[in-house]
Amino acid sequence: MTNNIHKKIILNAFDMNSVGHINHGLWTHPRDESYRFNQLNYWTELAQTLETGLFDGLFIADITGVYDVYQNGIDLTLKESIQLPSHDPSTLVSAMAAVTKNLGFGITVNLSYESPYQFARRFSSLDHLTQGRIGWNIVTGYLDSAAKLVGQAGLKDHDLRYEQAEEFLELAYKFWEGSWEDDAIIIDKENRIFTRPEKVHAIQHYGKFYQSQGVFQVSPSIQRTPVLFQAGASPKGLEFATKHSEAMFIGADTPEKVKAQVEKIRAQTIAQGRHAQDIKILVGISVVTAETDALAQEKYNEYLKYASPEAGLAHFSSSIGFDLSKYQDSETIPYQKSNSIVSVNQRFKENKVTIADLKAQHALGGRYPLFIGSGASVAEQLIHFIDETGIDGFNLTRTVAPESHHDFIRYVIPELQQRGRYKTEYAQGSLRHKLFQQGDRLSKQHPAQQFRCHQHAETSTLSHLDKHTA
Ligand SMILES: Cc1cc2nc3c(=O)[nH]c(=O)nc-3n(C[C@H](O)[C@H](O)[C@H](O)COP(=O)(O)O)c2cc1C
């Protein structure tokens, strides 16, 4: 515990390009403005707000597909706006980057339905435009509805999705790390040389899922590879996440279980040849705060009137892959094998959970742990949680938007700062450098290093990189 005493808390806002994200139903609150999600100034205002609170990043979740498992349809999903409609998150980034200097952007993209080349190009371009503030939350998807929408027969098997992800990453690393040398671009007008041809290399990839041959179209951005986020929790997911990711989200549970998960992640990261601290571990939370504990409780009670635990359950049904509307409140939910989020589903095997338990957990429409109180008491609870579990920070969901972010910045941030547990100014540099203080690029231990091209291509030991002599 003692080594955590001065650990500064990493803080991301956790949001989605939609009305309902995690805390369902709160869009009906009279002060909630999330219905404005399709307006650019909703996002630029949010980005600026977060920067006043020195947030490390805005993390934007995303889902391909719709939640159609609960009641075997989408009526409730549409009525309650449970992540439907939801828009592409990457479209928001340039505008938000233009009005901020330091805020990072963690953007979720489901790789299963992307072409690695087009995706790598888009994220490189964003890393250029944001001057190294881009992160990618790597997800593989868990909805049958998504597979059908993109014209596939159904969702691929859970572990096969991770196998495909492994190859997707390898190819993306080749594009980001292996095609261009750092000093390729010289912009020499006199000699009419923009890029030195000998410094740009074709990559080759002939794999099980993907083929590619040629030169990447984007020159190296500040970070080259975006900061990699992941949330794998199944055995296969954990193996993938501890190999590749630089920040991991874990589902919050009791502090004891979170601590055990943190220790597992740290041990597995070391087993992958990396350092234990190469991965920042974050937990999703919701907070309701005000001037005093009593006022915060009052605010919470008021929010409850608008929240929809049932919409929370409908969302959860899609996460686990079976219909929770079939059970009465008092019924224990039986474990059923499914192909969706294996790790979440696992809890029904381990614990007796009733529908009433789930609804109580979803009181505010979402399943994340809730902290209620004055700024001082929330700050104390968060610090305690960090020190007890060994995590590095939080993904803060919104409740009533944008009120809950304003409240957090007004009441909680100063209390964290007074306790020496939150920055008082931004560090300089890219998102990766801000997080690790070790430069803009992936660490030496990261597996992507094997795909890097070296400064002198002639002496490169990389067999898979062809020298490009255009
Ligand atoms: C905090 C958190 C945020 C997540 N955000 C998304 C998301 O935006 N989109 C998505 O498809 N999956 C999301 N997931 C699900 C993960 O991608 C992953 O499926 C899940 O953590 C379980 O891992 P497993 O597939 O190894 O069981 C999230 C998970 C967590 C814990």
Side-chain angles (χ1 to χ4, degrees):
M1 222 195 267
T2 44
N3 62 348
N4 286 325
I5 292 299
H6 300 295
K7 192 154 128 179
K8 296 272 193 289
I9 294 174
I10 295 173
L11 188 64
N12 292 318
F14 192 29
D15 215 313
M16 191 157 170
N17 196 357
S18 60
V19 176
H21 174 211
I22 292 287
N23 293 309
H24 294 293
L26 287 169
W27 64 272
T28 59
H29 190 286
R31 291 194 298 277
D32 187 89
E33 294 183 21
S34 60
Y35 62 87
R36 288 177 50 217
F37 82 100
N38 61 344
Q39 299 168 16
L40 207 52
N41 62 0
Y42 174 78
W43 294 99
T44 51
E45 285 161 19
L46 174 66
Q48 286 172 317
T49 298
L50 297 177
E51 219 168 53
T52 65
L54 304 177
F55 276 65
D56 293 279
L58 168 61
F59 190 86
I60 311 186
D62 191 39
I63 193 79
T64 309
V66 297
Y67 298 138
D68 59 359
V69 175
Y70 192 76
Q71 297 172 339
N72 198 23
I74 60 166
D75 287 1
L76 189 72
T77 300
L78 286 166
K79 283 187 197 158
E80 284 285 351
S81 199
I82 310 170
Q83 303 186 355
L84 181 65
S86 81
H87 298 184
D88 186 318
S90 59
T91 55
L92 304 171
V93 174
S94 289
M96 292 192 290
V99 296
T100 54
K101 277 204 175 76
N102 289 292
L103 190 70
F105 302 100
I107 304 298
T108 302
V109 176
N110 178 346
L111 58 80
S112 299
Y113 311 120
E114 289 277 337
S115 134
Y117 177 74
Q118 303 285 44
F119 166 77
R121 186 176 182 221
R122 197 163 78 240
F123 267 57
S124 266
S125 307
L126 285 172
D127 201 48
H128 274 285
L129 292 176
T130 60
Q131 295 199 290
R133 290 193 273 153
I134 270 289
W136 171 32
N137 178 31
I138 309 164
V139 301
T140 60
Y142 55 84
L143 298 179
D144 245 340
S145 62
K148 288 181 187 143
L149 275 166
V150 300
Q152 298 180 2
L155 186 63
K156 284 195 182 119
D157 178 65
H158 177 271
D159 286 6
L160 186 67
R161 301 201 290 268
Y162 277 113
E163 196 190 319
Q164 181 172 349
E166 185 66 39
E167 195 184 319
F168 190 108
L169 268 273
E170 181 180 325
L171 180 49
Y173 293 148
K174 287 179 184 175
F175 291 132
W176 287 325
E177 303 285 338
S179 187
W180 289 60
E181 295 184 34
D182 283 335
D183 55 354
I185 291 187
I186 52 173
I187 318 183
D188 179 349
K189 289 190 176 179
E190 211 169 302
N191 293 303
R192 307 193 64 84
I193 303 175
F194 191 88
T195 302
R196 291 194 280 177
E198 71 278 14
K199 297 280 181 181
V200 182
H201 313 283
I203 68 107
Q204 289 194 33
H205 183 93
Y206 303 106
K208 175 172 169 185
F209 299 92
Y210 304 108
Q211 274 76 44
S212 180
Q213 198 277 327
V215 164
F216 192 41
Q217 258 173 286
V218 189
S219 63
S221 61
I222 291 177
Q223 300 185 117
R224 282 185 179 260
T225 296
V227 174
L228 300 171
F229 295 78
Q230 230 275 325
S234 59
K236 196 84 177 157
L238 205 56
E239 187 190 325
F240 179 85
T242 53
K243 179 173 176 187
H244 296 282
S245 79
E246 301 173 275
M248 272 185 78
F249 309 129
I250 57 175
D253 211 311
T254 59
E256 298 73 40
K257 282 198 179 159
V258 171
K259 184 169 190 262
Q261 184 70 358
V262 168
E263 282 165 8
K264 197 168 161 186
I265 290 169
R266 304 271 189 234
Q268 223 166 308
T269 308
I270 292 169
Q272 299 268 18
R274 303 174 68 197
H275 300 157
Q277 295 302 324
D278 283 358
I279 299 182
K280 302 289 184 195
I281 302 177
L282 309 170
V283 161
I285 54 166
S286 298
V287 170
V288 180
T289 184
E291 283 95 336
T292 63
D293 284 345
L295 286 172
Q297 192 61 44
E298 208 174 284
K299 192 180 284 180
Y300 172 66
N301 291 338
E302 196 233 351
Y303 283 5
L304 281 180
K305 290 186 219 151
Y306 299 95
S308 171
E310 194 189 12
L313 250 55
H315 181 179
F316 198 63
S317 281
S318 277
S319 301
I320 55 179
F322 57 86
D323 183 2
L324 291 170
S325 74
K326 293 196 170 130
Y327 305 99
Q328 300 301 316
D329 275 10
S330 58
E331 263 183 276
T332 300
I333 303 156
Y335 171 77
Q336 297 174 42
K337 196 170 170 2
S338 94
N339 192 26
S340 296
I341 304 187
V342 167
S343 47
V344 178
N345 199 8
Q346 190 71 13
R347 66 184 285 197
F348 299 111
K349 216 183 211 175
E350 291 162 1
N351 306 310
K352 279 196 160 175
V353 186
T354 63
I355 293 290
D357 293 336
L358 274 188
K359 279 192 181 154
Q361 195 195 344
H362 286 76
L364 217 51
R367 67 189 92 135
Y368 287 20
L370 185 61
F371 297 84
I372 306 166
S374 67
S377 57
V378 169
E380 289 292 337
Q381 291 174 67
L382 296 183
I383 290 169
H384 185 68
F385 193 86
I386 291 241
D387 290 346
E388 228 184 333
T389 58
I391 63 165
D392 299 288
F394 300 104
N395 275 345
L396 178 69
T397 65
R398 58 173 154 92
T399 53
V400 172
E403 175 172 292
S404 64
H405 288 316
H406 288 288
D407 285 346
F408 193 90
I409 291 166
R410 183 167 168 201
Y411 300 118
V412 182
I413 297 282
E415 298 290 341
L416 290 172
Q417 286 170 328
Q418 273 174 32
R419 288 162 179 77
R421 300 303 296 268
Y422 193 73
K423 60 181 136 8
T424 51
E425 60 180 6
Y426 278 112
Q428 294 304 301
S430 62
L431 175 59
R432 180 172 286 116
H433 185 65
K434 283 190 173 75
L435 286 174
F436 295 98
Q437 294 297 311
Q438 287 175 3
D440 302 324
R441 303 283 165 82
L442 284 165
S443 72
K444 286 198 295 292
Q445 312 79 250
H446 194 278
Q449 292 300 350
Q450 66 188 291
F451 303 109
R452 286 216 68 176
C453 58
H454 299 291
Q455 278 313 104
H456 303 289
E458 296 74 25
T459 58
S460 169
T461 54
L462 297 177
S463 57
H464 57 270
L465 291 179
D466 263 359
K467 206 170 149 214
H468 177 69
T469 49

